[in-house]
Amino acid sequence: MTSEPNEEQDVPWAMQLVVHRDRVNPAREVDVAEAAARAVVTLLADERSAPGGPWHEAVRTWRDVQIRKLVRRADGKRWDDVQQLPGVTVRQEGAGDHGDAIVRAFVPAPVQPLPRALHKLQVSGTNFPEDGDSAASDAVVTVEVAPGLGISSGKLAAQCGHAAQLAWETVPAVVRQRWAEDGYRVRVVFPSRAEWDAARRPVTVTDAGLTELDGPTDTTRAWW
């Protein structure tokens, strides 16, 4: 089992994720979760995060202590403003009549002080429509979500991001290469309680219970 670390820092670090919110044609929750997972891995795999790259020290510091992620939402000018901050943006095509899921992952940094463009974005209450299953049936990596969590779409996106990150750090090199060639697509699924209890996966995320959950809780798992 692989867990999310929960060591404390004087000023905690986090990877900020911002989800684009289309008020007229919002993305589905499952698409947002998948796009968030892809954005996390895309940033980690970026050459700028590799040794010698401009993002490497920030990514290393964050990974060595706590893989915390905070999900915010933005639209209009606020979405445009955060594009100027270092990071990567992933767009995932929406299913049916729903809008595309667009998520930008930012280079990890202390949670305070934040750049003004990020600081003024809301964290709590980020929710998207729960409408249908994943359309990514042939993705290399699958993330499954524990039943009965009762968490917001933002928290779900963060947990799927954790699972995808740990998968990226765990998969054999040949699988990682195949995943890269597929654009790091992820399939997010919601098993029944019986299915969850019966399965064993190579990666499990245990959330520390700092937000939304009451104490340490297994939230997501990944396999390939």
Side-chain angles (χ1 to χ4, degrees):
M1 176 184 294
T2 307
S3 299
E4 176 194 351
N6 61 5
E7 291 89 344
E8 294 295 329
Q9 291 176 302
D10 291 341
V11 178
W13 280 54
M15 176 187 285
Q16 305 285 336
L17 301 171
V18 175
V19 182
H20 180 262
R21 179 178 58 178
D22 186 329
R23 296 174 184 269
V24 177
N25 192 25
R28 299 186 305 160
E29 180 179 76
V30 67
D31 295 330
V32 169
E34 291 175 351
R38 290 178 67 185
V40 169
V41 177
T42 300
L43 188 146
L44 295 175
D46 193 290
E47 62 182 12
R48 289 167 290 185
S49 297
W55 300 348
H56 175 67
E57 284 304 311
V59 171
R60 183 192 59 79
T61 298
W62 167 71
R63 285 172 65 186
D64 283 351
V65 180
Q66 184 183 41
I67 63 169
R68 185 181 186 189
K69 299 174 183 69
L70 294 174
V71 177
R72 302 169 185 270
R73 63 186 185 273
D75 55 14
K77 184 178 183 303
R78 291 191 172 188
W79 171 255
D80 294 338
D81 287 346
V82 297
Q83 303 307 303
Q84 309 308 312
L85 301 174
V88 298
T89 298
V90 166
R91 175 188 292 266
Q92 180 151 317
E93 184 178 355
D97 295 331
H98 289 278
D100 293 349
I102 313 173
V103 179
R104 185 167 179 84
F106 297 88
V107 176
V111 297
Q112 57 180 350
L114 282 176
R116 179 173 175 78
L118 281 174
H119 179 71
K120 61 187 180 182
L121 301 180
Q122 289 186 307
V123 177
S124 61
T126 298
N127 285 296
F128 291 84
E130 300 177 31
D131 187 4
D133 297 327
S134 171
S137 59
D138 58 345
V140 173
V141 171
T142 297
V143 172
E144 64 182 1
V145 181
L149 292 177
I151 56 179
S152 67
S153 299
K155 181 74 171 180
L156 174 66
Q159 298 305 302
C160 290
H162 293 335
Q165 175 180 346
L166 296 177
W168 183 77
E169 294 174 353
T170 304
V171 295
V174 64
V175 177
R176 183 185 283 192
Q177 180 60 35
R178 188 155 51 90
W179 197 12
E181 292 169 355
D182 191 42
Y184 299 113
R185 288 190 311 119
V186 170
R187 178 174 179 247
V188 172
V189 299
F190 301 87
S192 67
R193 171 55 63 184
E195 291 169 333
W196 175 270
D197 290 342
R200 296 293 179 268
R201 308 301 189 191
V203 161
T204 298
V205 172
T206 302
D207 184 75
L210 300 177
T211 60
E212 295 195 29
L213 295 170
D214 186 16
T217 304
D218 288 352
T219 57
T220 48
R221 302 191 293 214
W223 78 93
W224 43 91

